[in-house]
Amino acid sequence: MSAREPILDVRNVDKRYGETVACEDVSFTLRRGEVLGIVGESGSGKTTLLRCLAGRLAPDSGEILVDIPGLGRSDIVAMDEARREQALPLALSLVHQNPRDGIRLDISAGGNISEPLMGQGRRHYGDLRSVALHWLKRVEIAPGRIDSLARTFSGGMQQRLQIARCLVTHPQLVLMDEPTGGLDVSVQARLLDLLRGLVRELGIAAVVVTHDLAVVRLLADRLMVMQRGRVIEEGLTDQVLDDPHHPYTQLLASSVLQA
């Protein structure tokens, strides 16, 4: 696939709950090496959109075209559930806000990192352990903790372990749901530096959903602002935040400046 062809192509996605509009006519493309930030207050539709992108929620209409290894560009909306569950892990990973939703607390750090690889058919114990050690170092967890149960880790360490688990299969696309939510400021800063370095180094595409404009300013190349299920402003992150045009975006930006 050409580096300029979209890894993710979202076309006219709609989702409603009765009379409530969760997403309306959302469209965007994402290419290799790009990071898209999606911001908005609670109820803006950003989390619903992320769940649609992850294949966890079916939109009412629209297309979500994902470049899937071995299948090419595929509309995950049109896939049946079994096919989608089989195909999507080959292309994307989801980093949950609460790391306990993305790791298994009752197995070791090494087991958490190795498990996705085993799901792809890798079985050699020595190779799996070697890869797990490599990824523990990359996410700044001491290699000596490889056999420690995940539940014994701090919240920040659990989030770094989840990131390693998500990236070990080298997905083309990573979806992040409030990746620094619930962590203290010093831990947030280290985690953001880590995420920024890994995204750039691996050349993956990423979507970051957050309410924190400081997070998207650091991580995202492009920014999409949502309100009541609709995209009201989008563009390069610095341009949108430094010169917002829509009154809602102006309010968001000013609230950060006044904080």
Side-chain angles (χ1 to χ4, degrees):
M1 184 183 84
S2 165
R4 300 310 301 163
E5 290 181 357
I7 285 177
L8 176 64
D9 190 359
V10 178
R11 301 178 180 177
N12 311 113
V13 166
D14 283 279
K15 182 66 180 177
R16 285 173 167 74
Y17 297 99
E19 297 299 316
T20 302
V21 176
C23 290
E24 182 176 44
D25 199 28
V26 177
S27 299
F28 65 89
T29 59
L30 191 65
R31 292 174 171 82
R32 188 178 305 281
E34 290 186 329
V35 180
L36 173 68
I38 304 176
V39 300
E41 63 192 350
S42 178
S44 64
K46 62 186 188 297
T47 300
T48 295
L49 177 60
L50 191 75
R51 292 183 64 202
C52 290
L53 301 181
R56 308 291 177 89
L57 182 67
D60 297 327
S61 61
E63 296 177 300
I64 300 175
L65 301 167
V66 180
D67 187 73
I68 299 175
L71 295 178
R73 281 164 61 87
S74 305
D75 182 9
I76 65 171
V77 177
M79 288 181 177
D80 62 57
E81 184 176 355
R83 182 64 165 158
R84 187 165 53 245
E85 289 182 355
Q86 180 183 39
L88 275 187
L90 301 174
L92 65 84
S93 291
L94 174 63
V95 177
H96 297 267
Q97 177 179 358
N98 186 341
R100 295 182 172 221
D101 294 330
I103 60 176
R104 292 182 56 189
L105 297 175
D106 57 342
I107 65 174
S108 68
N112 267 286
I113 297 173
S114 298
E115 192 172 50
L117 295 173
M118 294 175 67
Q120 293 185 349
R122 296 177 63 169
R123 292 289 185 269
H124 190 280
Y125 176 79
D127 289 346
L128 291 170
R129 192 169 179 86
S130 177
V131 171
L133 284 168
H134 171 74
W135 273 97
L136 285 175
K137 293 176 185 176
R138 293 189 81 168
V139 298
E140 302 175 2
I141 295 176
R145 299 297 305 274
I146 188 171
D147 295 317
S148 299
L149 295 181
R151 60 179 168 80
T152 66
F153 288 4
S154 68
M157 287 178 66
Q158 287 179 348
Q159 190 64 297
R160 297 202 300 275
L161 179 60
Q162 182 187 191
I163 291 167
R165 181 182 170 101
C166 285
L167 296 183
V168 69
T169 56
H170 297 282
Q172 298 183 95
L173 173 64
V174 176
L175 309 176
M176 305 182 195
D177 183 11
E178 300 279 6
T180 60
L183 302 176
D184 65 47
V185 174
S186 63
V187 175
Q188 282 187 25
R190 286 183 61 197
L191 186 61
L192 286 170
D193 281 341
L194 172 67
L195 281 171
R196 181 174 58 178
L198 287 172
V199 166
R200 301 296 186 238
E201 178 186 344
L202 297 173
I204 57 181
V207 176
V208 182
V209 164
T210 182
H211 69 280
D212 191 335
L213 298 189
V215 170
V216 292
R217 190 182 282 277
L218 184 65
L219 285 181
D221 306 297
R222 291 161 44 214
L223 184 60
M224 196 163 76
V225 183
M226 295 187 69
Q227 182 186 34
R228 300 185 186 132
R230 300 169 179 86
V231 177
I232 59 167
E233 191 159 356
E234 58 185 315
L236 298 177
T237 300
D238 286 343
Q239 290 180 356
V240 172
L241 294 182
D242 294 339
D243 186 24
H245 293 170
H246 194 281
Y248 177 72
T249 312
Q250 293 171 0
L251 182 62
L252 286 179
S254 66
S255 68
V256 172
L257 292 175
Q258 295 168 9

